[in-house]
Amino acid sequence: MAEALVEAEKAFDEGEVPVGCVITSGENIICRAHNQRESRCDPTGHAEIIALRKAGSELGTRVLSSCTLYVTFEPCPMCMSAIMLARVGRLVFGCSDPKIGAVHSRWNFPTDPAFGHSIRVTAGVLESECRGILERFFSGVRAKF
């Protein structure tokens, strides 16, 4: 998760919502990504989506069952759907998103039988650090208004 926080800091520095993501296979980091919605003018430019695309390309497969995805913020419905469809083996996230979190806060995609896939989930890893960077970012945004 520490490496995902490094990516979140990059997003922060670029004026993006500071969410970072790292995908590993075994002990190896396959890819890193951070939010790039604004810089790419892309509504799908979430850290998880970018990382899933990179991991699939790197591994030469769309099935990422041997991978663990680390992300600093609970995935939204778009990202959680992609994670489930990629059949990621394990999801680890930092802080919850009570507004649109799709792991356990608002929806519970990991247990939805429609996906035909189950995923191991670990929540709350480096939670205060992950929440802190988001709070720092949004307090700066609010200060501008």
Side-chain angles (χ1 to χ4, degrees):
M1 187 61 71
E3 294 297 321
L5 275 164
V6 169
E7 289 297 315
E9 285 289 345
K10 289 179 185 177
F12 184 95
D13 292 344
E14 294 172 9
E16 300 276 357
V17 174
V19 176
C21 183
V22 172
I23 297 179
T24 64
S25 180
E27 299 297 316
N28 301 317
I29 294 177
I30 302 301
C31 64
R32 304 162 185 268
H34 57 274
N35 274 3
Q36 295 183 339
R37 291 175 55 195
E38 303 303 324
S39 62
R40 291 183 175 192
C41 299
D42 180 0
T44 68
H46 291 205
E48 302 95 322
I49 299 297
I50 296 167
L52 288 167
R53 288 177 179 149
K54 287 180 176 181
S57 180
E58 178 70 26
L59 297 173
T61 182
R62 66 169 189 83
V63 178
L64 305 176
S65 57
S66 67
C67 295
T68 299
L69 187 147
Y70 296 85
V71 64
T72 57
F73 198 38
E74 181 178 3
C76 71
M78 174 183 70
C79 293
M80 199 58 214
S81 292
I83 290 165
M84 295 297 287
L85 292 170
R87 302 198 176 288
V88 170
R90 181 174 178 221
L91 168 66
V92 179
F93 70 90
C95 60
S96 296
D97 180 0
K99 193 172 180 183
I100 61 167
V103 179
H104 67 226
S105 294
R106 181 83 166 89
W107 295 281
N108 195 334
F109 283 32
T111 61
D112 190 324
F115 287 105
H117 172 63
S118 63
I119 185 172
R120 291 176 291 136
V121 176
T122 304
V125 175
L126 298 180
E127 182 174 7
S128 62
E129 293 88 337
C130 294
R131 184 171 314 290
I133 191 171
L134 287 162
E135 289 173 350
R136 189 165 39 109
F137 177 81
F138 285 111
S139 70
V141 169
R142 284 189 292 278
K144 292 178 183 176
F145 294 102

